[in-house]
Amino acid sequence: MSYRIRAMRPEDKDAVLKMMRVFYASDAVFSNGSEEIFRADIEQCTKENPYLEGYVFEDSGSSAKELQGYAMVAKSFSTEFGKPCIWIEDIYIKEESRGLGIGSVFIQYMKEKYTDCIFRLEVEEENEQAVRVYKKCGFTFLPYKEMKR
C-alpha cells in the first residue's frame, strides 16, 4: 500500500469522527472527549485556523482513497525552549495500517514543514508501540508532569 499525507477537508468529517471515537475510547488516550469536542476539533481543522491543522493519511493505491488515520497539530510558542512549538495533539492510525511506517513518515513530514520548532506530544507509557515510534523519531520523555485547570 502507498500512503499520502494531506490536509483534512470538510468531506473527511465522517471518517475522522469515526476514527476519533475509536481513538478516544482506547487506552492510548487519558480522556474520553465528547462528540461536541470531536466536531469542534474537525471544524477548526478544516478551516483557516492559525493554531490548529488537521491531516489525514490516505491509501493512495485504492480507488476509494480510504483514510487510514488522521492527525491534529496545534501551534504555539515555547518560552521554555525559546522557539515555536508544534504539539502533535492527535495521531491515530487504524489498527490494520499500524507498523507500516505511517507515523514515522508523518513526523518526518512535520519536521520538514516546521524546521526550526520544538515538537511535543503526549503518550501513555503503556502504549509501547507508539513510544517506540516516537523514540525512533527522536522524542524523549520530559521529567515532569503537566497540569491543567
Side-chain angles (χ1 to χ4, degrees), residues 36-93:
E36 182 181 351
I37 291 171
F38 300 161
R39 291 176 189 281
D41 289 347
I42 293 168
E43 181 183 337
Q44 292 301 312
C45 283
T46 58
K47 68 180 193 178
E48 288 294 318
N49 185 321
Y51 306 108
L52 187 65
E53 296 176 350
Y55 297 90
V56 293
F57 314 129
E58 188 174 67
D59 178 357
S60 59
S62 158
S63 61
K65 304 287 188 226
E66 184 178 346
L67 300 185
Q68 297 303 312
Y70 78 95
M72 293 182 184
V73 174
K75 299 182 274 186
S76 66
F77 188 89
S78 172
T79 58
E80 181 179 0
F81 297 102
K83 56 175 63 178
C85 180
I86 303 298
W87 273 94
I88 300 175
E89 292 281 347
D90 285 19
I91 184 166
Y92 173 79
I93 299 164

Coordinates of all heavy atoms in Angstrom, one line a residue, residues 36-93:
E36 N -19.3 16.6 20.9 CA -19.2 18.1 20.7 C -17.8 18.5 20.5 O -17.5 19.3 19.6 CB -19.8 18.8 22.0 CG -19.8 20.3 21.9 CD -20.4 20.9 23.1 OE1 -20.9 20.2 24.0 OE2 -20.3 22.1 23.2
I37 N -16.8 18.0 21.3 CA -15.4 18.4 21.1 C -14.9 17.8 19.8 O -14.2 18.5 19.1 CB -14.6 17.8 22.3 CG1 -15.0 18.6 23.6 CG2 -13.1 18.0 22.0 CD1 -14.3 18.0 24.9
F38 N -15.2 16.6 19.5 CA -14.7 16.0 18.2 C -15.1 16.8 17.0 O -14.4 17.2 16.1 CB -15.2 14.6 18.0 CG -14.8 13.6 19.1 CD1 -15.5 12.4 19.2 CD2 -13.8 13.8 19.9 CE1 -15.2 11.5 20.2 CE2 -13.4 12.9 20.9 CZ -14.1 11.7 21.1
R39 N -16.4 17.2 17.0 CA -16.9 18.0 15.9 C -16.3 19.4 15.8 O -16.0 19.9 14.8 CB -18.5 18.1 16.0 CG -19.2 16.8 15.7 CD -20.7 16.9 15.9 NE -21.3 15.6 15.9 CZ -21.5 14.9 14.7 NH1 -21.3 15.4 13.6 NH2 -22.1 13.7 14.8
A40 N -16.1 20.0 17.0 CA -15.4 21.3 17.0 C -14.0 21.2 16.5 O -13.5 22.1 15.8 CB -15.5 21.9 18.5
D41 N -13.3 20.1 17.0 CA -11.9 20.0 16.5 C -11.8 19.8 15.0 O -11.0 20.5 14.3 CB -11.3 18.7 17.1 CG -11.0 18.9 18.6 OD1 -11.1 20.0 19.2 OD2 -10.8 17.8 19.3
I42 N -12.7 19.0 14.4 CA -12.7 18.8 13.0 C -13.0 20.1 12.3 O -12.4 20.4 11.3 CB -13.6 17.6 12.6 CG1 -13.1 16.3 13.1 CG2 -13.8 17.6 11.1 CD1 -14.1 15.2 13.1
E43 N -14.0 20.8 12.8 CA -14.4 22.1 12.1 C -13.2 23.0 12.1 O -12.9 23.7 11.1 CB -15.6 22.7 12.9 CG -16.0 24.0 12.3 CD -17.1 24.7 13.0 OE1 -17.9 24.0 13.7 OE2 -17.3 25.9 12.9
Q44 N -12.5 23.1 13.2 CA -11.3 24.0 13.3 C -10.2 23.5 12.4 O -9.5 24.3 11.8 CB -10.8 24.1 14.7 CG -11.8 24.9 15.6 CD -12.1 26.3 15.2 OE1 -11.2 27.0 14.8 NE2 -13.4 26.6 15.1
C45 N -10.1 22.2 12.2 CA -9.0 21.7 11.3 C -9.3 21.9 9.9 O -8.4 21.9 9.0 CB -8.9 20.2 11.6 SG -8.0 19.7 13.1
T46 N -10.6 22.1 9.5 CA -10.9 22.2 8.1 C -11.2 23.6 7.6 O -11.7 23.8 6.5 CB -12.1 21.3 7.8 OG1 -13.2 21.7 8.6 CG2 -11.8 19.8 8.0
K47 N -10.9 24.6 8.5 CA -11.0 26.0 8.0 C -9.7 26.7 8.4 O -8.8 26.1 9.0 CB -12.2 26.6 8.7 CG -12.1 26.8 10.2 CD -13.3 27.5 10.7 CE -13.1 28.0 12.2 NZ -14.3 28.7 12.6
E48 N -9.6 27.9 7.9 CA -8.4 28.7 8.2 C -8.3 28.9 9.7 O -9.1 29.6 10.3 CB -8.4 30.0 7.4 CG -8.2 29.9 5.9 CD -6.8 29.4 5.6 OE1 -5.8 29.8 6.2 OE2 -6.7 28.5 4.7
N49 N -7.3 28.3 10.3 CA -7.1 28.5 11.7 C -5.6 28.6 12.0 O -4.8 27.7 11.6 CB -7.7 27.3 12.5 CG -7.6 27.5 14.0 OD1 -6.6 27.9 14.5 ND2 -8.6 27.0 14.7
P50 N -5.1 29.7 12.6 CA -3.7 29.8 12.7 C -3.1 28.9 13.8 O -1.9 28.8 13.9 CB -3.5 31.3 13.1 CG -4.8 31.7 13.8 CD -5.8 30.9 13.0
Y51 N -3.9 28.3 14.6 CA -3.5 27.5 15.8 C -3.6 26.0 15.6 O -3.0 25.2 16.3 CB -4.3 27.9 17.0 CG -4.2 29.3 17.3 CD1 -5.3 30.1 17.1 CD2 -3.0 30.0 17.7 CE1 -5.3 31.5 17.4 CE2 -3.0 31.3 18.0 CZ -4.1 32.1 17.8 OH -4.0 33.4 18.0
L52 N -4.5 25.5 14.7 CA -4.7 24.1 14.5 C -4.7 23.7 13.1 O -5.3 24.3 12.2 CB -6.1 23.8 15.2 CG -6.4 22.3 15.3 CD1 -5.4 21.5 16.2 CD2 -7.8 22.1 15.8
E53 N -4.1 22.5 12.8 CA -4.1 22.0 11.5 C -4.5 20.5 11.6 O -4.1 19.8 12.6 CB -2.7 22.0 10.9 CG -2.2 23.4 10.6 CD -0.7 23.4 10.1 OE1 0.0 22.4 10.1 OE2 -0.3 24.5 9.7
G54 N -5.2 20.0 10.6 CA -5.6 18.6 10.6 C -5.1 18.0 9.3 O -5.0 18.6 8.3
Y55 N -4.7 16.7 9.5 CA -4.1 15.9 8.4 C -4.8 14.6 8.4 O -5.3 14.1 9.4 CB -2.6 15.7 8.6 CG -1.8 17.0 8.6 CD1 -1.6 17.7 9.8 CD2 -1.3 17.5 7.4 CE1 -0.9 18.9 9.8 CE2 -0.7 18.7 7.4 CZ -0.4 19.4 8.6 OH 0.2 20.6 8.6
V56 N -4.8 14.0 7.2 CA -5.3 12.6 7.1 C -4.3 11.8 6.3 O -3.5 12.3 5.5 CB -6.7 12.5 6.4 CG1 -7.8 13.1 7.2 CG2 -6.7 13.1 5.0
F57 N -4.3 10.5 6.6 CA -3.4 9.6 5.9 C -4.2 8.7 5.0 O -5.1 8.0 5.4 CB -2.6 8.7 6.9 CG -2.1 9.4 8.1 CD1 -2.4 9.0 9.4 CD2 -1.3 10.6 7.9 CE1 -1.9 9.7 10.5 CE2 -0.8 11.3 9.0 CZ -1.1 10.9 10.3
E58 N -4.0 8.9 3.7 CA -4.9 8.3 2.7 C -4.2 7.2 2.0 O -3.0 7.3 1.6 CB -5.2 9.4 1.7 CG -6.2 9.1 0.7 CD -6.6 10.4 -0.1 OE1 -5.7 10.9 -0.9 OE2 -7.7 10.9 0.0
D59 N -4.9 6.1 1.7 CA -4.4 5.0 0.9 C -4.5 5.4 -0.5 O -5.5 5.4 -1.1 CB -5.2 3.7 1.2 CG -4.8 2.5 0.4 OD1 -3.9 2.7 -0.5 OD2 -5.4 1.5 0.5
S60 N -3.3 5.9 -1.1 CA -3.3 6.4 -2.4 C -3.4 5.3 -3.5 O -3.6 5.6 -4.6 CB -2.1 7.3 -2.7 OG -0.9 6.6 -2.4
G61 N -3.2 4.0 -3.1 CA -3.3 3.0 -4.0 C -4.7 2.5 -4.3 O -5.0 1.8 -5.3
S62 N -5.6 2.9 -3.4 CA -7.0 2.5 -3.5 C -7.8 3.5 -4.4 O -7.6 4.7 -4.2 CB -7.6 2.3 -2.1 OG -9.0 2.4 -2.2
S63 N -8.7 3.0 -5.2 CA -9.6 3.9 -5.9 C -10.5 4.7 -5.0 O -10.9 5.8 -5.3 CB -10.4 3.2 -7.0 OG -11.2 2.2 -6.4
A64 N -10.9 4.1 -3.9 CA -11.8 4.8 -2.9 C -11.0 5.8 -2.1 O -11.6 6.6 -1.4 CB -12.4 3.7 -2.0
K65 N -9.7 5.8 -2.1 CA -8.9 6.7 -1.3 C -9.3 6.7 0.2 O -9.5 7.7 0.8 CB -9.0 8.2 -1.8 CG -8.6 8.3 -3.3 CD -7.1 8.2 -3.5 CE -6.8 8.6 -4.9 NZ -5.9 7.7 -5.6
E66 N -9.3 5.5 0.7 CA -9.8 5.3 2.1 C -8.8 5.9 3.1 O -7.5 5.7 2.9 CB -9.9 3.8 2.4 CG -10.4 3.5 3.8 CD -10.7 2.0 4.0 OE1 -10.6 1.2 3.1 OE2 -10.8 1.7 5.2
L67 N -9.3 6.5 4.1 CA -8.4 7.1 5.1 C -8.0 6.0 6.1 O -8.8 5.2 6.6 CB -9.2 8.2 5.9 CG -9.7 9.4 5.0 CD1 -10.3 10.5 5.9 CD2 -8.6 10.0 4.1
Q68 N -6.7 6.0 6.4 CA -6.1 5.1 7.3 C -5.7 5.7 8.6 O -5.3 5.0 9.5 CB -4.8 4.4 6.6 CG -5.1 3.6 5.4 CD -6.2 2.6 5.6 OE1 -6.1 1.8 6.6 NE2 -7.2 2.5 4.8
G69 N -5.9 7.0 8.7 CA -5.6 7.6 10.0 C -5.7 9.1 9.9 O -6.0 9.7 8.8
Y70 N -5.5 9.8 11.0 CA -5.6 11.3 11.0 C -4.6 11.8 12.1 O -4.1 11.1 12.9 CB -7.0 11.8 11.3 CG -7.4 11.7 12.7 CD1 -7.2 12.8 13.6 CD2 -7.8 10.5 13.3 CE1 -7.5 12.8 14.9 CE2 -8.2 10.5 14.6 CZ -8.0 11.6 15.4 OH -8.3 11.5 16.8
A71 N -4.3 13.1 12.0 CA -3.5 13.8 13.0 C -4.0 15.2 13.1 O -4.6 15.8 12.2 CB -2.0 13.8 12.6
M72 N -3.9 15.7 14.3 CA -4.2 17.2 14.6 C -3.0 17.8 15.3 O -2.4 17.2 16.2 CB -5.4 17.3 15.4 CG -6.7 16.8 14.8 SD -8.1 17.1 15.8 CE -9.4 16.3 14.8
V73 N -2.6 19.0 14.8 CA -1.4 19.6 15.2 C -1.7 21.0 15.7 O -2.3 21.8 14.9 CB -0.3 19.6 14.1 CG1 0.9 20.4 14.5 CG2 0.0 18.2 13.7
A74 N -1.3 21.4 16.9 CA -1.5 22.7 17.4 C -0.2 23.5 17.4 O 0.8 22.9 17.7 CB -2.1 22.7 18.8
K75 N -0.3 24.8 17.1 CA 0.9 25.6 17.1 C 0.9 26.6 18.2 O -0.1 27.2 18.5 CB 1.0 26.3 15.7 CG 1.1 25.3 14.6 CD 1.2 26.0 13.2 CE -0.2 26.4 12.7 NZ -0.1 27.0 11.4
S76 N 2.1 26.8 18.8 CA 2.2 27.8 19.9 C 3.7 28.2 19.9 O 4.5 27.9 19.1 CB 1.8 27.2 21.2 OG 2.6 26.1 21.6
F77 N 4.1 28.9 21.0 CA 5.4 29.3 21.2 C 5.8 28.8 22.6 O 5.1 28.9 23.5 CB 5.6 30.8 21.2 CG 7.1 31.2 21.2 CD1 7.8 31.3 20.0 CD2 7.7 31.5 22.4 CE1 9.2 31.7 20.1 CE2 9.1 31.8 22.4 CZ 9.8 31.9 21.3
S78 N 7.0 28.2 22.7 CA 7.5 27.7 23.9 C 8.6 28.6 24.5 O 9.7 28.7 24.0 CB 8.1 26.3 23.7 OG 8.8 25.8 24.9
T79 N 8.2 29.2 25.6 CA 9.2 30.1 26.3 C 10.3 29.2 27.0 O 11.4 29.6 27.2 CB 8.6 31.0 27.4 OG1 7.9 30.2 28.3 CG2 7.6 32.0 26.7
E80 N 9.9 28.0 27.3 CA 10.8 27.0 27.9 C 12.0 26.7 26.9 O 13.1 26.5 27.3 CB 10.1 25.7 28.2 CG 10.9 24.7 28.9 CD 10.1 23.4 29.3 OE1 8.9 23.4 29.0 OE2 10.7 22.5 29.8
F81 N 11.7 26.6 25.6 CA 12.7 26.3 24.6 C 13.1 27.4 23.7 O 14.0 27.3 22.9 CB 12.2 25.1 23.8 CG 12.1 23.8 24.6 CD1 10.8 23.4 25.0 CD2 13.2 23.1 25.0 CE1 10.6 22.3 25.8 CE2 13.0 22.0 25.8 CZ 11.7 21.6 26.2
G82 N 12.4 28.6 23.8 CA 12.7 29.8 23.1 C 12.5 29.7 21.6 O 13.2 30.3 20.8
K83 N 11.4 28.9 21.2 CA 11.1 28.8 19.8 C 9.7 28.3 19.6 O 9.0 27.9 20.5 CB 12.1 27.8 19.1 CG 12.2 26.4 19.7 CD 13.1 25.5 18.9 CE 14.5 25.9 18.8 NZ 15.3 25.0 18.1
P84 N 9.2 28.4 18.4 CA 7.8 27.9 18.1 C 7.7 26.5 18.5 O 8.7 25.7 18.4 CB 7.7 28.1 16.6 CG 8.6 29.2 16.2 CD 9.8 29.0 17.1
C85 N 6.5 26.1 18.9 CA 6.3 24.7 19.3 C 5.1 24.1 18.5 O 4.1 24.8 18.3 CB 5.9 24.7 20.8 SG 5.5 23.1 21.5
I86 N 5.4 22.9 18.1 CA 4.4 22.2 17.3 C 3.9 21.0 18.3 O 4.8 20.2 18.6 CB 4.9 21.6 16.0 CG1 5.4 22.7 15.1 CG2 3.9 20.7 15.3 CD1 4.4 23.7 14.7
W87 N 2.7 21.0 18.7 CA 2.1 20.0 19.5 C 1.4 19.0 18.6 O 0.4 19.4 17.9 CB 1.1 20.6 20.5 CG 1.7 21.0 21.8 CD1 2.1 22.3 22.1 CD2 1.9 20.3 23.0 NE1 2.5 22.4 23.3 CE2 2.5 21.1 23.9 CE3 1.7 18.9 23.3 CZ2 2.8 20.7 25.2 CZ3 2.1 18.5 24.6 CH2 2.6 19.4 25.5
I88 N 1.8 17.8 18.6 CA 1.1 16.7 17.9 C 0.0 16.3 18.9 O 0.3 15.5 19.8 CB 2.0 15.6 17.4 CG1 3.1 16.1 16.5 CG2 1.2 14.5 16.7 CD1 4.1 15.1 16.0
E89 N -1.2 16.8 18.7 CA -2.3 16.6 19.6 C -2.9 15.2 19.5 O -3.1 14.5 20.5 CB -3.4 17.7 19.4 CG -3.0 19.1 19.8 CD -3.0 19.3 21.3 OE1 -3.6 18.5 22.1 OE2 -2.5 20.3 21.8
D90 N -3.2 14.8 18.3 CA -3.8 13.5 18.0 C -3.0 12.9 16.9 O -2.7 13.6 15.9 CB -5.2 13.6 17.5 CG -6.3 14.0 18.5 OD1 -5.9 14.5 19.6 OD2 -7.4 13.7 18.3
I91 N -2.7 11.7 17.0 CA -2.2 10.9 15.9 C -2.8 9.5 16.0 O -2.5 8.9 17.0 CB -0.6 10.9 15.7 CG1 -0.2 10.2 14.5 CG2 0.0 10.4 17.0 CD1 1.3 10.4 14.1
Y92 N -3.6 9.2 15.0 CA -4.3 7.9 15.1 C -4.1 7.2 13.7 O -4.3 7.8 12.7 CB -5.8 8.1 15.4 CG -6.6 6.8 15.3 CD1 -6.5 5.9 16.3 CD2 -7.3 6.5 14.1 CE1 -7.2 4.7 16.2 CE2 -8.0 5.3 14.0 CZ -7.9 4.4 15.0 OH -8.6 3.2 14.9
I93 N -3.8 5.9 13.8 CA -3.6 5.1 12.6 C -4.5 3.8 12.9 O -4.4 3.2 13.9 CB -2.2 4.7 12.3 CG1 -1.4 6.0 12.1 CG2 -2.1 3.8 11.2 CD1 0.1 5.9 12.2

